Structures are given as C-alpha cells and as structure tokens.
Amino acid sequence: MYTIITPKKILVSLLFVCSPLLKAQDSFEQQINTLLAKMTLEEKVGQMNQYNGFYDATGPAPQGGNAAQKYEHLKKGWVGSMLNVRGVEEVRKIQELVVKESRLGIPMIFGFDVIHGYKTQSPIPLAEAASWDLEAIQKSASIAANEASAVGLNWAFAPMIDISRDARWGRVMEGAGEDPYLGAKVAEARINGFQGDDLSAPNTIAACAKHFVAYGFSEAGREYNTTDIGTNTLFNIALPPFEAAVAADVKTVMNGFNVLNGIPVTGSSYLQRDILKDKWGFEGYVISDWSSIGELVPHGHAENLKQAAEFGAKAGSDMDMESKAYITHLAENVREGKVDEGLVDDAVRRILRVKFELGLFEDPYLYCNEEREKERLFHEDHMQGALEMAKKSMVLLKNDGNLLPLKKDQKGIVVIGDLADDKNSPLGSWRLASDDNTAVSVVEGLQTYTNAFKFVQGPKVFDDDASFLQHVIINTTDSSGMEEAVAAAKMAEVVIMVVGEHGFMSGEARSRTKIDLPGLQHDLLKAVYAVNKNIIMVLMNGRPLTINWEAEYIPTILEAWQLGSQSGNAVAQVLFGDYNPSGKLPMTFPRSVGQVPIYYNHFSTGRAEKEPNVFWSHYADEENSPLYPFGFGLSYSKFRYSDFNLDSSDATQIKVSVKVTNSSTVEGEEVVQLYVNDPYASIVRPVKELKGFKKISLEGGASQTVSFTLTDRELGFYNSKHEWVVEPGKFNVMVGTNSQEGLSGSFERQ
Ligand code: NOJ
C-alpha cells in the first residue's frame, strides 16, 4: 500500500495513545483500511469521480454523459461526490440511492460554490477582506456554512485564496486581494468559519482552499490564461495563503485551470505531491477544477483523455470534477501498469477520511433535516450578520469638505444612478443559490431614514436580465434620462450618485481590458458635477477601478463594493453616520490599466530615483504611484500616530509600538498596519511587506498604544533554495494607517 510518511503523521500516531479524540481518528483509519480492502478497483475510482448535478450551472454542459448514465453510476457506487445538487429533498434522494443501492453504501459528499453565503448573501469576499476584521470574516463564513449545511450540503468550494495583482482579472472579487499576509489571515478565518470546531456537527462543512496555485497571475488578467512566475513569487507570494490554509486544517484543496511555468497545475506532481502533501503534510484531498483533468489535453500536456487520467492521478489530483477522465480511463491505466494502484488507494483514503470526519459514515443524512432547512434560510441572525459584515466592508476613499456623514434631517437630497435602486447587482457575482432581486437597494436603505429625497435613475446602464452565464449588456449610446438627472441635481443640496459595475461584471470569466466606469456613468458624473459639486459618489464594484477624474473632482467617494443582501441598509447607515467607515483597501487602485500589475510590495528597480533625463523607471504619460494604495481608507474620525518605539534587545522578539490618538470627537475604528523591509538580502526583498495589523476602536480624544512582536516568522522569507531563512543585517519597520504613510525605524539583526 502506498502511504506517505510525514513528520506530522508520526507525531499524530504517537499522540493516538493518549487522546480519545485521536483514538476516533485512529479508528477512522482502521475503518478506511477495512473498507479499502473490500473495494474493487472500479469502486475506488468511483470515489475519485465527481459529477455535476443534472444541469450545467457553472461550466460547459457535461460532455458524453447523461442523467441516465449518472444514475447508473450512482447505483454502482461509482460516484464519490456531486456538485450543484442542493436542497434536502434532492440531496436525500441521491444519498439514499447510493447508500441503499450501491454494494458498499459509501455516502456521498455534496459540494457547492458557497462563496459569500447561500441564500443570505454577505459582501463579496474582496469587500469582506477590506474590513480587516478577522472575527467578522470568520462569522460570515460560519453563517454561510450554517445555511448551506441546512440544505444538505457538506462541502463549500471556498475560500478562494488566490493572490492577484491584476484588477483586469474578474475573479479578484472572490479573493482577499494582493497581499499574502492578509490573504493568509483571511484564509484561516474563512476556513475556521466553515469548518468550526467540530466538523461532524450538522452546521459545519468542509472548506476548500482554491485554486492551487498561482491562478491569480493569469497573463494580462485574461481568465484561464497561462501563468508564468518565478519561484520567488511562487514561494513568497502565491503559496503562503495555501500553507496557512493547510496549517488551519483545511479539508480539501482545489487545483486550477492554469498552466504554471509550462505545466498545468492539475498535472503537477511537484506542486500537489511534493509541496502540498509531502512538505506541508496535507491529509485531505485535492479536487480538480471543473474538467481541469480533461483540459490537460487542450493544454497540450496529455495526448488524450486516457493519458489525462494517468497524469492527473499521478500528480495527486484526487477527485475529478466532471471531466470523466477517471471514471472512463483510470482503472484501465492501473490495469495496464501505467498508474500504481497505491496512488489510487492514497486518493481514496483521503476522500474517505473527510467523509468520516464529516460524520457521514455515522449518519449519511446528517445534513438532511427539513426542519433546519425551513428555519435557517434567510434567518434573522444571518441577515443581521450580513448587515454587520457589510458595514465593516466599506472604504471611505475621499471626504473633502466633510459632506459625510449626512445630517439626519438633511433636506434636498437627490439620488441618481441605475445602480441606486438595483436589488440584484449588489448581491454580487458567485451567488448561485441566492434569489434574484433580494438585496436591499440603496434607495430602500435611504428610505429607512427619510423619504425626503428624490430618486432619478439617469441613463440606463445595465441590462436588467443580466445573468451569471452571459456578459452584461451595457448601454453606451442611449443618453435618455441624462437631462432629467442633471435638472434634478441642479436643484439639490446634495447629490448621491450610485455608480460602478454590475454584479455580474466580475467573477469567473469576467476579465476586462478597461476598468473604468462602464457605460455613460462617467459622462453623467461630469454633467452633474457641472451643475452641482456637492456629490457623494457611492461606488459599487467587484474590482479596483480607474477613476482618476472622479478621484480628483468628486469631493466624497465611498467604496461600497457589492455588499450582498443588506447592501442598501449598510450604505444608508454609513451615509447618515450611524456607522463610521473603517475599511481599508485590500488591493491597489491603479491610475491607468497600463500600470497593471500594480502592487505595494514590489521590488525596487536599479533606477527608482527620478533623474533629470528620461533614464529612470517610469512612464512617459502617467505617474508610477497608484490612485489609492493598498491599506488605504479614511474614517469620520481622525487618527494621529506618534511615539514610535522599537526594542530589538531580544533578537527573537523585536517589540514595536506606536501611540494612536483619535484627534476627532467621533468614535471610530482604525486598522493599524505594520510593514517590514529587509533592504539587502540574498534574494531581493520587496520595498515593504505587511507583517501585522490590529483593528482598534477609539473614542473621540482617546489614545492607545498598539504593540507588535516581530519574530523569525515575520522577518524571514523563502530563499533561492526554497528554504525559510532569516538573514542577518538591517531591517526597516513602518507602522501606519496605510502602506504609504506611517512612522518608521530600523534595527540590526545578527
Ligand atoms: C469553476 C471554478 O473555477 C471553481 O472555482 C468552481 O468551484 C467550480 N467551477 C465549480 O463550480
């Protein structure tokens, strides 16, 4: 039998002796052995086969298979899992079919894209990351797990933890932005939220860290495109959130569609076996992305589907999502000696282990409770949780002249914009289970405060029938409604303009070459600005946008992303000052798409300083700096940083502290950020790297000393041999309010 022995496993086996919990684990392993011994090769391969439900919600329609064949395979025990089957009735039906009719009755695991909620939608993940509030993010994932588990699901294809520096890539909405440190922390919070303390409880589900790995580096931001990054970026930027996910005991990992440095990640034994399973000791299983094993053929890696099955299995892709490569060809590959049966056993062992841990062997219907299903969907507690998360996710980008917060009795408000009364778009992308038009719109949110405002839509921007499967149709020519909007704005004391992207303009397969305001929105803003400068711009979007003109002229900009079910209520609370915005950007806003990829933790060039001639690193037509940097976000409070202190007397525990004072009269929250720079190293290090943050709350006039400890964990990096090292020498440290502003000092480490 093929078993990989890792140091972690040896430790775990030693611990079995003394812990009852580990005894349960041990008994799982024994039961798995017993089961494996009974399984035919076809049954083993069946566990590695995942079918889609009987419709094509998230990918090209299944090829070469039909519902009848799938039913036959289910009955034979040739399907280990299904995706997109949900609802207690449906799940129970299929579980019963498998458990009662198949020879060994091994229960199925049911997966679904629970990306930011099931029915109740939280903000899109990028927005949640902007809260820098790990407790809130964890709670949001636990709410999602609570609802999803109530409809029979026990596995979420989330969190997506791909780092991305390219706002053209539509999937940035699904991740935590550009930074590996923040990304790792958010990954951990989400995994803990989904999986809870007890995976066998009926309200917790297995998480899935995806897409392993470097999928966020797709060239030119085009979906499904090639990725080509050096090992420094791989080890120090792309892999760390996954390493953190494994340390947080994530049960499953999904690979990606991308070719990385010439090898499709789905077929990479180096990534999936050497790093993920051997080096990190990951004991769960790897699911392929939709048909990514089959796609080894069009990638030009495997000659045909049979060889794709061989390569996928050898590379450690344990479960095949819908490409049918395994179910059609894996047994044959084993019989022909092309794939060692030990590898199949290893994959099956991993899959069965997660099923045991979920409690499915004890009760295959654990997640099938009609009462819970009725009770949990759109539960009041979940809606309340979504509201809290939405408030924390907004980022105040500009508030010149303090137009915000509005007074409760503010008169003469005019609200303009196609998105202002939209109840669908704020649900964002990747919300497969949500009911259309169930978000609270901004207009509805404002109505909970006052009816003393006028709403004028302005030119229609987005097609009302926009869907997850097609590109959103955008009006770029018909300006009807413009005049009415301008006329209303002329009479207003203050204009709230809700502009941005439609919720289905980001997400999978939603790459853009231009990342400005779509349609006539920019023209509308300019026309309104010509008659009334008191504009509050509420921005709804799933990615950073190039809004240079707006950033220069519009006095107030609130980044509201797509905030989910409670969108309008959250926006209204911020506009009227019942919630003081506290979010910070998890991703840089470029000035121009030509700057992309743009990110704060870049290297210095040999020609970073401005020269009197042209021979330094810059553009002829744009500044190097971003429009808004990583970590940026304002508040209705004002925070002052002072008393930077650095104590390096203990080289293993460097203490850094600052005093933060709320110099305003308004209570508020601040995310205090710690950045480190290693100025000379064997591998060039970034100009700065986030290595700590704390979100604090301060009453008006109050101060707090915020402390951080720097250990080898924060000071080290993966060197050219991919070893974690801390090199002696100078380190610079900055603590501040964003990645560009703060107090700094330095120390020497021997
Ligand atoms: C393709 C996406 O890349 C992946 O993230 C998702 O989980 C699967 N489809 C299943 O819907």
Side-chain angles (χ1 to χ4, degrees), residues 515-538:
I515 50 170
D516 51 4
L517 291 173
L520 300 171
Q521 295 179 103
H522 177 66
D523 296 345
L524 175 67
L525 273 163
K526 275 187 145 171
V528 168
Y529 183 79
V531 298
N532 191 336
K533 300 196 168 21
N534 284 342
I535 299 175
I536 296 163
M537 177 168 125
V538 176

Side-chain angles (χ1 to χ4, degrees), residues 160-228:
M160 187 193 96
I161 60 178
D162 297 307
I163 298 300
S164 180
R165 298 162 161 179
D166 194 333
R168 291 171 297 185
W169 191 51
R171 299 199 81 164
V172 298
M173 58 77 53
E174 254 184 273
E178 75 191 39
D179 182 67
Y181 181 87
L182 179 63
K185 295 284 174 201
V186 171
E188 218 174 277
R190 291 204 166 119
I191 290 161
N192 290 338
F194 283 121
Q195 297 189 167
D197 296 333
D198 175 8
L199 195 62
S200 67
N203 61 350
T204 56
I205 59 181
C208 180
K210 69 189 191 186
H211 305 84
F212 194 69
V213 59
Y215 181 42
F217 287 83
S218 56
E219 279 184 357
R222 179 158 56 82
E223 184 69 304
Y224 314 131
N225 204 2
T226 307
T227 56
D228 212 318

Side-chain angles (χ1 to χ4, degrees), residues 58 83 113 157 171 210-211 254 257 289-290 321 508:
T58 62
L83 78 154
D113 288 290
F157 301 136
R171 299 199 81 164
K210 69 189 191 186
H211 305 84
M254 187 185 293
F257 294 123
D289 202 344
W290 180 289
M321 184 191 285
E508 185 177 348

Side-chain angles (χ1 to χ4, degrees), residues 2 4 212-213 234-235 239 255-256 258-282 286 293 296 301 308-318 326 338-339 343 346 350:
Y2 183 96
I4 297 157
F212 194 69
V213 59
L234 177 64
F235 278 86
L239 285 173
N255 58 32
N258 54 313
V259 167
L260 175 61
N261 303 339
I263 299 178
V265 291
T266 301
S268 171
S269 160
Y270 170 63
L271 294 170
Q272 303 188 139
R273 290 205 185 277
D274 299 357
I275 295 180
L276 178 68
K277 293 177 181 174
D278 292 358
K279 190 169 177 211
W280 295 346
F282 172 64
V286 176
I293 296 176
L296 294 177
H301 191 58
E310 176 193 336
F311 287 0
K314 280 183 175 161
S317 293
D318 300 311
Y326 286 177
K338 293 197 170 104
V339 174
L343 295 181
D346 178 55
R350 290 167 178 278

Side-chain angles (χ1 to χ4, degrees), residues 21-270:
L21 206 132
L22 290 172
K23 274 203 188 118
Q25 276 289 348
D26 193 21
S27 97
F28 289 164
E29 298 303 316
Q30 285 164 3
Q31 292 178 67
I32 292 168
N33 286 340
T34 314
L35 206 48
L36 263 174
K38 288 188 200 152
M39 292 170 85
T40 63
L41 180 57
E42 274 68 21
E43 284 164 344
K44 289 178 191 173
V45 169
Q47 285 303 304
M48 298 168 73
N49 177 37
Q50 185 191 53
Y51 278 150
N52 188 29
F54 307 106
Y55 63 103
D56 62 341
T58 62
Q63 302 280 312
N66 54 34
Q69 190 197 32
K70 285 182 179 178
Y71 266 113
E72 280 316 301
H73 287 186
L74 284 163
K75 283 199 275 185
K76 286 183 175 163
W78 287 6
V79 189
S81 169
M82 287 192 93
L83 78 154
N84 293 326
V85 172
R86 58 204 162 93
V88 168
E89 195 188 339
E90 192 72 5
V91 170
R92 187 186 285 280
K93 219 164 52 192
I94 293 180
Q95 191 72 297
E96 256 173 17
L97 186 75
V98 172
V99 170
K100 293 194 176 149
E101 304 221 11
S102 70
R103 196 176 70 91
L104 295 169
I106 299 174
M108 302 258 295
I109 175 167
F110 292 89
F112 193 69
D113 288 290
V114 187
I115 307 299
H116 52 111
Y118 186 74
K119 285 277 179 210
T120 309
Q121 295 299 312
S122 277
I124 57 169
L126 185 66
E128 288 197 357
S131 73
W132 297 55
D133 188 328
L134 301 175
E135 218 176 291
I137 293 172
Q138 179 166 334
K139 185 163 176 213
S140 168
S142 77
I143 289 174
N146 212 313
E147 278 198 15
S149 59
V151 299
L153 297 167
N154 32 42
W155 180 19
F157 301 136
M160 187 193 96
I161 60 178
D162 297 307
I163 298 300
S164 180
R165 298 162 161 179
D166 194 333
R168 291 171 297 185
W169 191 51
R171 299 199 81 164
V172 298
M173 58 77 53
E174 254 184 273
E178 75 191 39
D179 182 67
Y181 181 87
L182 179 63
K185 295 284 174 201
V186 171
E188 218 174 277
R190 291 204 166 119
I191 290 161
N192 290 338
F194 283 121
Q195 297 189 167
D197 296 333
D198 175 8
L199 195 62
S200 67
N203 61 350
T204 56
I205 59 181
C208 180
K210 69 189 191 186
H211 305 84
F212 194 69
V213 59
Y215 181 42
F217 287 83
S218 56
E219 279 184 357
R222 179 158 56 82
E223 184 69 304
Y224 314 131
N225 204 2
T226 307
T227 56
D228 212 318
I229 60 173
T231 51
N232 176 44
T233 307
L234 177 64
F235 278 86
N236 288 303
I237 305 290
L239 285 173
F242 286 94
E243 195 173 358
V246 171
D249 201 20
V250 71
K251 295 297 168 191
T252 71
V253 167
M254 187 185 293
N255 58 32
F257 294 123
N258 54 313
V259 167
L260 175 61
N261 303 339
I263 299 178
V265 291
T266 301
S268 171
S269 160
Y270 170 63

